[in-house]
Amino acid sequence: MEESMQSSGPDIFRHVTTTPRHDWTVDQIRSLLEAPFLDLVFHAARVHRANHNPHEVQICSLLSIKTGGCPENCGYCSQSVHHKTGLQVEPLLQTEQVLSAAKKAKEAGATRFCMGAAWREVRDNRAFDRVLEMIRGVNALGMEVCCTLGMVTEAQARKLQEAGLYAYNHNIDTSPEYYEKVCSTRTIDDRLQTLENVRNAGLTVCCGGILGLGENQTDRAAMLHTLATLETHPESVPINSLVRVEGTPMQENEEVDPVDFIRMIAVARIVMPKSMVRLAAGRLQLSNEAQALAFLAGANSIFAGDKLLTTPNPEFDTDLSLLHSLGLRGKTLETGIEEPSIAVAYGS
Ligand code: SAM
Ligand code: DTB
Ligand code: SF4
């Protein structure tokens, strides 16, 4: 490599490769998280440009298809029955309502449509049949279809796959060690089992986590370590920053420093070079400049639209003008990596 290590930071960066590795240790990942910020962004940007088109950002659209009343007790969530958040519970939407939202999202430039249901797990009932119908409809629009419906068995995941589902979202949220502080109605092993079921059914995996739950730096490293040591890296890794919801046990949590949010994006990019890293919940707390740094550090997707599932998000037009001002464009499904603007001479 031409640049000397003196100019590109501490020793830990010697371990960085542009191709996927599955043997990162928690200590190494923690060292990356704690490295000088600009060195970290520099290395993450290089890994990013070797694997992705740096001018493209995938726009995803989210829709809550069944809102509130969830029996799980995730401490951050507006939709849990265990917290008094004042959220109005709504039954499963009709298929036509969902398809109309998906069409609008597609016209606005979204290429991925994610449907979320506040369920603990999928049950084989009429509601599931309706979700399968929604998936068939959105798939027919030519979008990547993603669902997040709670725990699924392998047989259910196969039905989702056969209906045209592209990805299943199921976040591990935090480290295995801290997990019970975030949710006690299920274990992280339950989460990992669902991820295995999804993978066995031939779906792509969307799995990430949240910053700001009260976790420490080792937990952040351990969360990324759990994902980066899976046999196949999740194709999609959403990194959320806690949206503090009144009435949840986490409403008073300390705000996440934007620099730490960007660090997490950068390290996710380095340890999972080929995955889509999604700058997910928490963008209202980020300035345009911070978002620009996140894109430089390897984020290549956002959730657009003024609502995430239940909480506010930047206005669609605000996002479009941000992307425009940064010279970024929405990713189309046909394009792969084309002409990264900087030649990458990294050894791997
Ligand atoms: N019930 C399903 C489940 O738990 O997998 C799906 C819905 S859940 C709302 C999807 C993900 O959104 C969660 O796993 C969590 O990572 C993220 N999320 C939920 N509430 C959040 C909040 N207040 N702030 C940031 N991220 C949040
Ligand atoms: C993910 O990791 N973040 C998105 C998507 N996957 C489903 C959801 C964010 C939800 C934020 C809280 C809410 O709006 O209720
Ligand atoms: Fe339920 Fe999902 Fe919210 Fe947890 S994150 S309370 S499982 S909707």
Side-chain angles (χ1 to χ4, degrees):
M1 202 193 330
E2 256 172 38
E3 295 122 83
S4 75
M5 278 302 137
Q6 282 169 344
S7 66
S8 49
D11 237 25
I12 185 63
F13 293 116
R14 279 195 302 118
H15 300 283
V16 174
T17 59
T18 57
T19 48
R21 283 181 45 186
H22 296 262
D23 58 352
W24 284 100
T25 66
V26 174
D27 281 349
Q28 287 172 337
I29 296 178
R30 216 179 93 150
S31 299
L32 287 172
L33 280 170
E34 290 172 349
F37 180 65
L38 296 181
D39 293 340
L40 175 61
V41 171
F42 169 80
H43 283 273
R46 295 195 59 163
V47 172
H48 184 53
R49 281 160 188 258
N51 288 286
H52 303 269
N53 185 325
H55 300 116
E56 287 188 344
V57 170
Q58 185 177 31
I59 298 176
C60 306
S61 180
L62 272 176
L63 181 66
S64 181
I65 57 170
K66 188 268 164 187
T67 305
C70 182
E72 301 275 24
N73 69 353
C74 310
Y76 51 77
C77 189
S78 61
Q79 307 198 63
S80 165
V81 289
H82 299 264
H83 320 317
K84 283 206 169 59
T85 62
L87 184 77
Q88 183 155 1
V89 176
E90 284 164 26
L92 186 64
L93 295 181
Q94 297 300 324
T95 305
E96 303 77 61
Q97 294 174 285
V98 173
L99 295 186
S100 139
K103 273 182 206 141
K104 274 196 201 137
K106 185 183 175 186
E107 280 158 20
T111 55
R112 186 165 168 120
F113 191 73
C114 179
M115 299 179 265
W119 287 332
R120 175 171 200 272
E121 76 248 308
V122 166
R123 305 219 172 121
D124 293 288
N125 55 19
R126 277 159 57 191
F128 185 44
D129 291 340
R130 199 191 296 171
V131 172
L132 294 173
E133 185 179 79
M134 293 171 187
I135 293 168
R136 283 190 282 270
V138 180
N139 182 45
L141 295 175
M143 303 177 88
E144 287 181 5
V145 198
C146 177
C147 274
T148 180
L149 313 168
M151 292 184 263
V152 285
T153 64
E154 191 173 322
Q156 291 164 340
R158 282 190 197 284
K159 286 190 186 164
L160 292 165
Q161 196 271 340
E162 281 156 16
L165 192 73
Y166 182 80
Y168 196 82
N169 166 259
H170 201 66
N171 290 344
I172 55 167
D173 286 338
T174 191
S175 68
E177 295 71 26
Y178 194 64
Y179 196 82
E180 63 184 28
K181 296 278 185 328
V182 174
C183 179
S184 62
T185 50
R186 59 172 184 240
T187 65
I188 196 159
D189 286 339
D190 294 329
R191 296 301 268 185
L192 293 169
Q193 182 60 57
T194 284
L195 292 171
E196 199 178 313
N197 297 343
V198 164
R199 183 58 85 197
N200 289 344
L203 290 163
T204 66
V205 169
C206 173
C207 184
I210 317 183
L211 299 190
L213 304 180
E215 75 286 349
N216 63 28
Q217 194 79 315
T218 306
D219 292 314
R220 290 179 184 177
M223 186 198 97
L224 290 177
H225 177 259
T226 304
L227 299 178
T229 52
L230 289 172
E231 206 172 302
T232 306
H233 290 167
E235 287 78 4
S236 162
V237 181
I239 305 292
N240 298 274
S241 170
L242 177 69
V243 178
R244 294 177 297 178
V245 176
E246 229 181 282
T248 64
M250 298 193 178
Q251 63 176 12
E252 306 287 357
N253 279 18
E254 211 174 297
E255 242 189 75
V256 174
D257 181 339
V259 168
D260 292 337
F261 195 2
I262 297 163
R263 282 181 183 281
M264 197 70 177
I265 298 271
V267 179
R269 166 53 63 228
I270 288 173
V271 300
M272 288 169 280
K274 296 210 180 286
S275 306
M276 296 295 291
V277 174
R278 304 189 196 274
L279 181 54
R283 284 195 303 117
L284 274 178
Q285 272 67 54
L286 292 187
S287 67
N288 284 352
E289 295 81 355
Q291 293 187 65
L293 266 175
F295 296 134
L296 179 64
N300 54 354
S301 173
I302 55 170
F303 292 101
D306 60 6
K307 196 156 92 170
L308 290 164
L309 289 171
T310 66
T311 64
N313 196 43
E315 296 287 335
F316 197 84
D317 288 349
T318 310
D319 280 339
L320 281 195
S321 61
L322 170 65
L323 295 185
H324 183 74
S325 74
L326 298 177
L328 296 169
R329 55 177 184 267
K331 183 183 194 288
T332 58
L333 290 184
E334 292 71 40
T335 54
I337 12 172
E338 44 175 67
E339 304 159 31
S341 61
I342 291 178
V344 181
Y346 244 19
S348 50

